[in-house]
């Protein structure tokens, strides 16, 4: 894509958003009007779509045990945003940052779940919390390991000034602490650990410092 013009370069964020189905109808129309007459952008869009389509088919056999998102991924994203801002494309830079952050979070979650499935027999499917505060979203996945149960938690919209406790419970209602985390306005994926074995886990929930339940769900099998 070395011959891409400044106009085409400014559309990179839109191309990525389109490939991930993140553009609204007006933006899609404007982008497609450009893409129809631009071979460079059509080629870039085809590559992005191919990558997006391939993501759900990641193979456990092809994942190296040490595969993790690059340690400098956050800096790469920040550098891209700075470069875009220096070119004056502030709106595009914000979109690139949002998309890149979403991809980074997806990579972290995907690698975590794949490792859980490989190292702990089989991970539970990603499950939304049945109870969550207005404006907040949260999901979790569970997998067995030698220490009990590993939890991958993805959440967004919980108060960033507050600390939350994650709990697991068995059928008798006995609860087991799985660690603490802070809320965030941005999507966050974290891995926690509980001593309760997965086969005995029936409930997952979070409380705040006032012991109020903020996230809650029964575990589906």
């Amino acid at each position: 894509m070395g011959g891409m013009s400044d106009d085409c370069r400014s559309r990179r964020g839109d191309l990525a958003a389109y490939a991930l189905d993140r553009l609204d109808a007006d933006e899609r129309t404007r982008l497609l009007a450009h893409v129809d007459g631009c071979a460079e952008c059509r080629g870039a869009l085809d590559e992005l779509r191919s990558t997006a389509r391939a993501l759900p088919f990641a193979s456990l056999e092809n994942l190296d045990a040490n595969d993790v998102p690059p340690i400098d991924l956050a800096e790469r994203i920040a550098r891209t945003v700075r470069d875009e801002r220096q070119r004056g494309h502030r709106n595009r830079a914000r979109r690139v940052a949002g998309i890149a952050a979403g991809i980074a979070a997806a990579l972290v979650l995907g690698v975590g779940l794949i490792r859980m499935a490989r190292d702990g027999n089989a991970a539970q499917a990603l499950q939304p919390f049945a109870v969550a505060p207005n404006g907040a979203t949260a999901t979790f996945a569970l997998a067995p390991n030698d220490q009990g149960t590993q939890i991958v938690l993805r959440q967004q919209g919980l108060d960033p000034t507050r600390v939350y406790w994650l709990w697991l419970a068995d059928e008798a209602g006995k609860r087991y602490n799985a660690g603490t985390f802070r809320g965030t306005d941005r999507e966050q994926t974290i891995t926690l650990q509980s001593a309760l074995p997965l086969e005995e886990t029936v409930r997952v929930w979070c409380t705040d410092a006032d012991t109020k339940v903020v996230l809650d769900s029964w575990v589906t099998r």
Side-chain angles (χ1 to χ4, degrees), residues 57-63 114:
F57 302 101
S59 169
L60 294 178
E61 289 75 17
N62 293 331
L63 182 67
I114 290 172

Side-chain angles (χ1 to χ4, degrees), residues 137-220:
T137 58
T139 56
F140 66 92
L142 308 176
N145 60 25
D146 293 339
Q147 301 301 314
T149 300
Q150 191 175 53
I151 307 99
V152 171
L153 173 70
R154 173 184 281 185
Q155 63 88 17
Q156 179 178 6
L158 295 180
D159 187 345
T161 67
R162 309 207 72 177
V163 174
Y164 298 90
W165 281 255
L166 182 69
W167 306 92
L168 270 58
D170 60 19
E171 289 186 354
K174 183 178 179 179
R175 69 180 186 178
Y176 294 76
N177 191 353
T180 61
F181 64 94
R182 284 192 174 274
T184 177
D185 293 329
R186 300 180 179 179
E187 191 170 72
Q188 176 190 58
T189 302
I190 55 177
T191 302
L192 299 158
Q193 177 69 40
S194 171
L196 181 65
L198 176 58
E199 63 270 18
E200 298 178 24
T201 302
V202 299
R203 181 186 175 200
V204 180
W205 81 101
C206 295
T207 57
D208 61 17
D210 299 321
T211 69
K212 176 183 177 182
V213 175
V214 294
L215 300 172
D216 197 0
S217 187
W218 297 100
V219 177
T220 60

Side-chain angles (χ1 to χ4, degrees), residues 13-130:
D14 284 340
L15 291 171
Y18 182 88
L20 295 172
D21 196 25
R22 298 287 297 273
L23 287 182
D24 61 34
D26 290 341
E27 290 174 320
R28 288 168 64 94
T29 298
R30 286 194 294 270
L31 180 65
L32 290 177
H34 170 81
V35 169
D36 284 344
C38 178
E40 290 283 355
C41 286
R42 279 200 305 275
L45 182 57
D46 286 343
E47 291 180 5
L48 288 166
R49 280 171 147 176
S50 296
T51 301
R53 286 194 297 267
L55 287 175
F57 302 101
S59 169
L60 294 178
E61 289 75 17
N62 293 331
L63 182 67
D64 186 86
N66 295 317
D67 278 348
V68 294
I71 194 169
D72 63 342
L73 180 58
E75 175 56 29
R76 292 185 195 177
I77 293 170
R79 187 164 55 245
T80 299
V81 173
R82 286 196 299 269
D83 291 346
E84 290 293 324
R85 283 176 174 164
Q86 288 172 2
R87 294 189 183 100
H89 304 302
R90 287 179 172 78
N91 291 334
R92 294 290 185 268
R94 283 193 291 269
R95 176 168 291 146
V96 170
I99 293 167
I103 292 173
L107 285 170
V108 171
L109 180 64
V111 170
L113 291 177
I114 290 172
R115 281 181 172 174
M116 287 166 66
R118 181 179 55 209
D119 300 336
N121 298 323
Q124 294 283 319
L126 196 66
Q127 180 178 335
F129 281 91

